[in-house]
Amino acid sequence: MGPLNRRAFLQLSSSVLVSGAVNAAIPAVSPLQKAIPSSGELIPVIGMGSWITFNVGNSVTQRKARSQVLDEFFNAGGRVIDSSPMYGSAEDVLGYCLHELDRQQDAFATTKVWTSSTQQGRVQFEDSKRLWQLPRFSVYLVHNLNNWRGHLPYLQELKQSGQIKYLGLSTSHGRRHSDVEDILNTQLIDFVQLTYNAADREVEQRLLPLAQEKGVAVMVNRPFQTGRLINRVKRELFPEWGAAMGCDNWPELLLKFVISHPAVNCAIPATSQVEHMRENMGANYGRLLADYERKRIADAIRDL
Amino acid sequence: MGDLFSYSLSDFVVYSAPTLFAMTEDMNRALYPLLILLAVLFAVMAWLGWRKSRHFIPVALFGHALMCCLVAWLYFGDYYASLDWAAVYYSRLFYALTVLLAISALWQWRSRSGLSDFRPSLLLGVVYALTALFILPILGWYDGRSLTETALPGLTPHAIMLSLTGVLLLSDNYLLKMLLLGPLIWGGVTLISSWPLGLLQGQVVLPLVILAIITTIVSRIAYKSHRALRIYRPR
Ligand SMILES: NC(=O)c1ccc[n+]([C@@H]2O[C@H](COP(=O)([O-])OP(=O)(O)OC[C@H]3O[C@@H](n4cnc5c(N)ncnc54)[C@H](OP(=O)(O)O)[C@@H]3O)[C@@H](O)[C@H]2O)c1
């Protein structure tokens, strides 16, 4: 290793700050980060979801395997973790893994309220804290807009009392977009979670520009179309033009497409495998893509 | 209503097939001594059925009540509950069936109704019982379950629903056959998760129960027309 110059030292120390630990896996450069409009706080562009992948029940073997996935995530500079009471044991498993790895401090924990009863929503928040083994959440969302009118006042209360940092709502699969638009226009929220990927681009029309205009951070779910997109592209040879964009594989390229949209703050791909996590976290580094590069990816997907 | 339309069926599949298999393996490891009890139960039912005993139907109904209770309590109430929030509803369905089957067993014990005399029903009833015991585990293996991850008949829902369908087909009491509603509901519910997961074991329940219902309707029509012929045949 050559002598450490000032720039290399700064890059290394910032990556140490993000990953929160000094070990051999620390990448030599810092992760790409984007600022949350309502606060200016920086978060890494690649987070992780937990739907299906972290719902492994009480199986100790599977829980330990997920701890390794999470370890890989943190070591690659990841922080944003998304879950919901709808995902079976996922919150409980995440709590277990975070505790096992002693990484509670590093998580930018995001969960949701998922019930049509306003009263039950309060109980659910306490349950989520217990399951994650965390005193507070970074982001708390209304899952699939379920009873959002009933839940939002409580979320505001939670934010004021410091039990959550940011509030918002989630939708997926392009559902109820007109409702999301109304909410963005009329309510004060920090985050919106929605589906966006190189094949599902409807949100580019109205929701992404509107979120940007209103200063609402965007967290993208289903960046791989629940895995379908990956299954389609992985049959194809990785193109040279993809490498020219600084990517090593298809998952990285697909994630770069998502996070390079100016309105998007982070994507939350889900995986149950360390190797896949490694591939996905590649998109946490390098550079963001220009519009013409994003268009090239979308065209390639369309022509598959 | 808008809330409901914001979901698709695949949203309700919250675990992967390997996770379900691992859960079954954990359960088998913890509960395998129960298999001795269940094997005795199956042997008694098979022996009574083979001898065409008048006690067969009530004992089989009671046996299924017991197994439904085990599934509601252990499978849905404990192991499966760790994966799926909907387990509590499935558990209720199986508890309700437990009660209905136990009451039916008592009623059948007293009314002493016997085996159906419609041959297709008899044949299909036996085939369903054998499918529950032997074919379903093979389908599980085709789905990717290892031997230790086998969904054991008597402790898991699909096999019980199929063997219950078989018992109801074997019975000659048409009111009793109303209980086919239980397997029908379960067949529909389980198709919702088995289809996206590509698990054949769960996908065969609904078509088989529907076939049983069609057979029952046909046997009823045949019975009625047979009686009508006897009554109105000119002397
Ligand atoms: N309404 C809502 O609030 C809502 C709705 C949907 C999703 N979400 C959130 O968004 C997250 C992401 O969405 P998603 O889980 O539906 O779908 P996704 O992230 O688009 O895709 C996940 C699938 O992709 C596969 N995968 C991931 N990385 C891969 C790689 N490098 N190579 C090959 N396959 C790979 C995973 O399989 P392996 O496990 O084999 O890697 C998994 O099956 C969810 O987990 C959830 O937290 C929220």
Side-chain angles (χ1 to χ4, degrees):
Chain A
M1 203 172 145
L4 206 61
N5 64 26
R6 225 177 309 176
R7 189 185 299 175
F9 173 74
L10 278 176
Q11 284 180 335
L12 184 65
S13 49
S14 56
S15 70
V16 168
L17 276 178
V18 168
S19 66
V22 184
N23 65 30
I26 291 172
V29 287
S30 36
L32 289 167
Q33 302 193 77
K34 286 196 182 184
I36 297 166
S38 64
S39 68
E41 182 182 354
L42 289 171
I43 50 168
V45 288
I46 302 296
M48 59 164 257
S50 59
W51 184 63
I52 295 185
T53 51
F54 271 67
N55 179 19
V56 296
N58 299 324
S59 160
V60 178
T61 330
Q62 296 228 26
R63 283 178 174 230
K64 295 235 180 282
R66 295 312 179 275
S67 285
Q68 287 172 9
V69 175
L70 198 59
D71 197 32
E72 180 68 33
F73 173 72
F74 281 122
N75 288 338
R79 283 186 63 213
V80 181
I81 304 172
D82 175 76
S83 197
S84 164
M86 190 193 176
Y87 306 161
S89 61
E91 290 189 297
D92 187 24
V93 174
L94 282 167
Y96 170 92
C97 298
L98 287 172
H99 185 260
E100 274 263 307
L101 299 170
D102 194 17
R103 289 286 205 164
Q104 281 110 330
Q105 308 299 323
D106 302 325
F108 187 87
T110 302
T111 196
K112 302 170 196 124
V113 54
W114 179 64
T115 166
S116 47
S117 147
T118 309
Q119 198 49 43
Q120 186 59 29
R122 292 171 180 261
V123 179
Q124 224 169 54
F125 179 73
E126 294 305 321
D127 281 348
S128 291
K129 279 200 305 191
R130 177 178 51 78
L131 293 168
W132 283 73
Q133 306 179 37
L134 290 175
R136 63 188 70 84
F137 288 102
S138 299
V139 183
Y140 200 52
L141 306 172
V142 179
H143 193 132
N144 276 5
L145 311 191
N146 194 346
N147 181 26
W148 66 268
R149 280 192 184 81
H151 293 310
L152 267 191
Y154 178 54
L155 266 59
Q156 266 138 12
E157 248 177 64
L158 289 173
K159 187 176 167 181
Q160 267 152 25
S161 65
Q163 296 191 72
I164 62 172
K165 237 171 161 179
Y166 306 104
L167 61 84
L169 44 93
S170 81
T171 179
S172 64
H173 280 83
R175 296 182 215 123
R176 298 185 71 181
H177 277 185
S178 60
D179 290 348
V180 177
E181 205 176 319
D182 285 349
I183 296 170
L184 284 172
N185 277 317
T186 56
Q187 308 290 321
L188 268 181
I189 60 172
D190 306 295
F191 264 89
V192 63
Q193 190 186 113
L194 40 77
T195 296
Y196 179 47
N197 55 57
D200 301 317
R201 300 173 57 199
E202 190 201 321
V203 289
E204 285 176 356
Q205 301 305 313
R206 299 176 76 90
L207 287 188
L208 290 179
L210 183 62
Q212 208 175 2
E213 180 197 322
K214 297 286 176 186
V216 174
V218 175
M219 189 182 282
V220 170
N221 62 38
R222 308 208 152 157
F224 298 141
Q225 251 192 346
T226 348
R228 286 199 307 278
L229 202 50
I230 294 251
N231 293 338
R232 274 170 68 196
V233 296
K234 274 201 164 172
R235 287 193 291 254
E236 309 285 323
L237 216 62
F238 188 64
E240 269 177 29
W241 53 261
M245 291 180 194
C247 296
D248 290 334
N249 50 57
W250 278 110
E252 196 182 325
L253 194 68
L254 291 173
L255 290 172
K256 275 281 169 73
F257 171 87
V258 171
I259 56 166
S260 298
H261 190 289
V264 171
N265 282 74
C266 66
I268 46 167
T271 181
S272 55
Q273 300 185 43
V274 173
E275 190 45 49
H276 288 170
M277 178 59 83
R278 199 167 293 140
E279 286 180 346
N280 299 348
M281 293 314 284
N284 213 25
Y285 293 89
R287 64 176 175 88
L288 295 176
L289 305 180
D291 276 353
Y292 75 91
E293 292 174 309
R294 295 181 68 250
K295 184 174 175 314
R296 175 128 207 206
I297 299 171
D299 289 348
I301 297 298
R302 196 196 51 221
D303 297 341
L304 274 180
Chain B
M1 213 50 189
D3 283 353
L4 204 63
F5 286 121
S6 68
Y7 296 96
S8 71
L9 284 187
S10 60
D11 281 340
F12 295 99
V13 182
V14 291
Y15 50 79
S16 65
T19 297
L20 181 70
F21 300 166
M23 179 225 88
T24 318
E25 188 175 34
D26 277 355
M27 188 177 95
N28 291 348
R29 199 178 299 127
L31 301 180
Y32 74 90
L34 267 179
L35 279 183
I36 300 164
L37 176 79
L38 289 167
V40 171
L41 190 64
F42 277 117
V44 169
M45 288 193 286
W47 183 67
L48 290 175
W50 181 255
R51 290 189 53 212
K52 296 198 176 87
S53 160
R54 64 186 176 81
H55 296 312
F56 168 67
I57 295 291
V59 169
L61 290 174
F62 190 74
H64 279 81
L66 196 72
M67 291 188 286
C68 279
C69 188
L70 280 180
V71 167
W73 181 45
L74 292 173
Y75 185 84
F76 289 124
D78 189 350
Y79 289 89
Y80 187 83
S82 71
L83 296 183
D84 191 350
W85 47 266
V88 58
Y89 303 107
Y90 304 154
S91 170
R92 280 177 203 165
L93 172 70
F94 277 75
Y95 275 131
L97 264 174
T98 304
V99 173
L100 288 173
L101 286 169
I103 293 171
S104 305
L106 280 177
W107 164 46
Q108 289 296 297
W109 187 271
R110 299 189 64 176
S111 73
R112 297 185 176 193
S113 46
L115 295 178
S116 165
D117 30 80
F118 187 63
R119 288 181 75 86
S121 290
L122 280 179
L123 190 72
L124 221 54
V126 174
V127 168
Y128 278 28
L130 292 175
T131 304
L133 280 177
F134 304 109
I135 310 286
L136 271 192
I138 295 175
L139 288 185
W141 173 73
Y142 174 83
D143 286 336
R145 288 180 192 260
S146 69
L147 195 65
T148 51
E149 295 166 346
T150 305
L152 296 170
L155 285 177
T156 47
H158 303 332
I160 292 181
M161 286 296 123
L162 269 196
S163 59
L164 174 62
T165 305
V167 170
L168 295 176
L169 274 172
L170 289 173
S171 157
D172 68 350
N173 189 306
Y174 282 95
L175 201 57
L176 194 65
K177 290 176 200 265
M178 294 297 226
L179 287 177
L180 280 172
L181 195 63
L184 184 71
I185 294 172
W186 176 249
V189 164
T190 196
L191 192 69
I192 294 172
S193 57
S194 304
W195 186 273
L197 287 172
L199 297 180
L200 205 57
Q201 223 179 19
Q203 290 178 49
V204 298
V205 179
L206 187 64
L208 288 177
V209 176
I210 290 175
L211 180 65
I213 290 172
I214 292 171
T215 310
T216 302
I217 293 169
V218 170
S219 82
R220 187 69 181 155
I221 293 169
Y223 175 75
K224 286 224 163 176
S225 53
H226 176 72
R227 277 197 13 171
L229 279 178
R230 262 213 309 228
I231 291 166
Y232 297 112
R233 192 182 298 149
R235 291 178 180 229

